[in-house]
Amino acid sequence: MKNIILTGDRPTGKLHLGHYVGSLKQRVELQNKGDFDEMYVMIADAQALTDNADNPEKIRENIIEVALDYLSVGLDPNKITLFIQSAVPELTEFTFYYMNLVTLSRLERNPTVKSEIKQRGYETSLPMGFLTYPVSQTSDITAFKANIVPVGDDQLPMLEQAREIVRSFNNIYGEVLVEPKAMLSDNEVCKRLPGTDGKAKMSKSIGNCIYLSDSEEVVKQKVMNMYTDPTHLKVEDPGHTENNPVFIYLEALCTDNHFVKYLPEYKNLEELKAHYEKGGLGDMKVKRFLNDVLNDVLNPIRQRRKEYEGKIEEVYKILENGSKKARKKASETLKEAKEAMKINYFEDEALINSHIKKYQK
Ligand code: ATP
Ligand code: MG
């Protein structure tokens, strides 16, 4: 079987550290390893409109932001296909057919969608498109016959839903679609990076993010204001590293080399944690170290972003060419699916001939 990778992000804001550790980093590693046949990365504008229908300007402005973030983390349009969801209308057609293979109650049970409905206050005014976005996500994945989907763990229910629809489609119409698998980070804390406020998930829609494009000054300010351990009042108090986003970010990003460079009195994160837990280590010192680590990670990203900011036309061209390529692939799969569903009337000579025979007397 071919290895086909597909992932994407909603253009609801700039990309943040959660995206980086949860998915972008693996995408770049996969891309550079070259151990795949096709790789697609999608800017999910149609999905973003499901909860931003009244704010198209926001989506429009953020397409370029997400594209710049992609290119600045090292995604390479010469190796992979970057595209915009709405520029591949075949995806919408797939969604219409997949809707018949899923029940309303099944959609209402999706735990990620459930918590997002609550977060958006949609309990009494839920847009249908929002409830069905996992179906549209199934289209995005299956139209490319993707088998590998690098994501954060909030996407596991979406992948489960996609597999159910694929099984159901293949059972009824024949083996056309491929069952996808999520690819999660090996590092537990990267699967769902918390926000700077200590809340469960760093998320564009909550506004508790450190963005990949934040300047050194902004990052410093955000780090210094980060939530830590509320029981760690004085330096000598014993502290908690669990549920402490400062330590979680270090867990996600720092290496022993960062200690050699910025904090040589400790060998590694284990030693730093032990000192904090025992007492005698102040939050400011840990935050200053985190700030150094973040700048180490973000500086090359900032630099590449600056280069691409100087060639916006080229970035749009990359998206346009990628979208054409993606559309070609999606329409091939759609053709196969429609054949299997027996809705390819004009291409089915046998059907036409059988009807000629039926009425020829
Ligand atoms: P929104 O709030 O608009 O839904 P988001 O911040 O959740 O935005 P998405 O575009 O929905 O971002 O997610 C894109 C990808 O990034 C998904 O694979 C998702 O699992 C992953 N991701 C998002 N936030 C995090 C996070 N905090 N930790 C790990 N992965 C994340
Ligand atoms: Mg999300």
Side-chain angles (χ1 to χ4, degrees):
M1 194 175 73
K2 277 184 154 186
N3 268 336
I4 301 179
I5 302 166
L6 178 128
T7 47
D9 306 272
R10 294 152 38 94
T12 48
K14 297 176 171 190
L15 298 184
H16 53 63
L17 273 185
H19 297 119
Y20 182 71
V21 301
S23 172
L24 291 172
K25 218 168 131 198
Q26 280 112 289
R27 296 183 207 177
V28 177
E29 281 163 14
L30 281 165
Q31 167 196 279
N32 294 340
K33 256 202 275 165
D35 189 18
F36 60 89
D37 298 283
E38 293 163 43
M39 181 163 167
Y40 299 90
V41 176
M42 178 185 79
I43 302 181
D45 62 335
Q47 188 189 118
L49 283 167
T50 64
D51 56 335
N52 289 281
D54 57 351
N55 199 357
E57 201 54 40
K58 173 175 160 191
I59 307 308
R60 190 181 167 81
E61 285 307 306
N62 280 306
I63 286 187
I64 190 72
E65 296 300 336
V66 172
L68 286 168
D69 286 329
Y70 281 169
L71 295 164
S72 55
V73 296
L75 289 177
D76 178 353
N78 294 313
K79 296 181 181 156
I80 65 167
T81 306
L82 296 176
F83 74 98
I84 298 183
Q85 187 184 24
S86 66
V88 184
E90 286 74 10
L91 300 175
T92 319
E93 207 171 329
F94 268 114
T95 302
F96 194 70
Y97 299 125
Y98 290 167
M99 296 248 221
N100 302 329
L101 305 177
V102 61
T103 62
L104 181 60
S105 61
R106 174 66 185 88
L107 289 173
E108 285 169 343
R109 274 203 312 274
N110 185 312
T112 299
V113 176
K114 252 185 173 165
S115 75
E116 288 174 340
I117 287 172
K118 214 159 148 208
Q119 186 198 320
R120 287 161 178 73
Y122 277 164
E123 286 97 334
T124 53
S125 59
L126 176 63
M128 270 305 288
F130 191 75
L131 185 70
T132 55
Y133 90 70
V135 182
S136 116
Q137 230 171 283
T138 302
S139 306
D140 306 333
I141 298 166
T142 56
F144 299 93
K145 299 201 173 177
N147 59 331
I148 302 169
V149 185
V151 282
D153 74 356
D154 61 311
Q155 294 302 307
L156 291 178
M158 312 307 168
L159 268 295
E160 191 50 42
Q161 177 71 81
R163 280 192 294 275
E164 282 174 34
I165 292 176
V166 167
R167 282 198 287 267
S168 170
F169 185 100
N170 287 350
N171 271 337
I172 301 172
Y173 305 116
E175 289 287 321
V176 173
L177 305 177
V178 176
E179 277 191 43
K181 259 207 197 100
M183 180 187 244
L184 293 173
S185 167
D186 304 330
N187 186 339
E188 203 51 44
V189 300
C190 294
K191 293 177 183 169
R192 187 178 299 222
L193 200 75
T196 49
D197 55 357
K199 294 245 171 71
K201 179 177 171 292
M202 184 180 283
S203 164
K204 293 179 230 118
S205 303
I206 303 178
N208 54 4
C209 309
I210 292 177
Y211 294 101
L212 300 178
S213 50
D214 279 345
S215 67
E216 285 200 21
E217 299 74 62
V218 170
V219 169
K220 187 166 182 194
Q221 210 180 5
K222 287 184 178 174
V223 169
M224 292 309 158
N225 289 325
M226 264 176 83
Y227 175 92
T228 58
D229 171 14
T231 67
H232 185 242
L233 297 173
K234 287 184 259 128
V235 172
E236 56 278 16
D237 289 340
H240 296 89
T241 56
E242 236 173 71
N243 302 322
N244 183 335
V246 175
F247 280 93
I248 295 174
Y249 292 3
L250 286 174
E251 189 93 43
L253 289 162
C254 89
T255 61
D256 293 353
N257 207 24
H258 286 130
F259 282 94
V260 177
K261 220 163 144 188
Y262 301 117
L263 210 55
E265 59 264 48
Y266 302 91
K267 242 207 269 96
N268 52 36
L269 188 56
E270 288 320 302
E271 278 191 20
L272 188 76
K273 271 180 160 176
H275 191 182
Y276 190 82
E277 282 164 5
K278 196 171 108 223
L281 174 58
D283 281 311
M284 276 307 144
K285 187 166 176 175
V286 188
K287 284 183 168 179
R288 271 198 297 272
F289 176 55
L290 173 62
N291 186 54
D292 288 333
V293 171
L294 287 178
N295 280 327
D296 229 45
V297 173
L298 293 177
N299 277 336
I301 299 177
R302 290 177 181 133
Q303 218 163 7
R304 253 190 308 246
R305 197 178 215 274
K306 217 178 212 134
E307 281 168 36
Y308 280 106
E309 283 174 353
K311 33 188 189 181
I312 295 295
E313 250 184 290
E314 188 182 319
V315 178
Y316 270 101
K317 219 43 226 167
I318 289 170
L319 294 176
E320 193 181 350
N321 290 338
S323 299
K324 279 188 193 147
K325 210 168 142 200
R327 190 168 184 194
K328 189 165 174 286
K329 169 84 186 215
S331 59
E332 283 165 17
T333 313
L334 183 63
K335 189 167 184 282
E336 256 185 88
K338 287 174 86 167
E339 225 172 87
M341 292 173 74
K342 300 191 180 300
I343 53 174
N344 61 333
Y345 317 110
F346 309 127
E347 280 136 41
D348 190 349
E349 263 183 54
L351 170 81
I352 300 172
N353 285 335
S354 76
H355 285 167
I356 292 174
K357 234 188 221 150
K358 185 173 166 188
Y359 292 106
Q360 188 177 60
K361 276 200 189 103

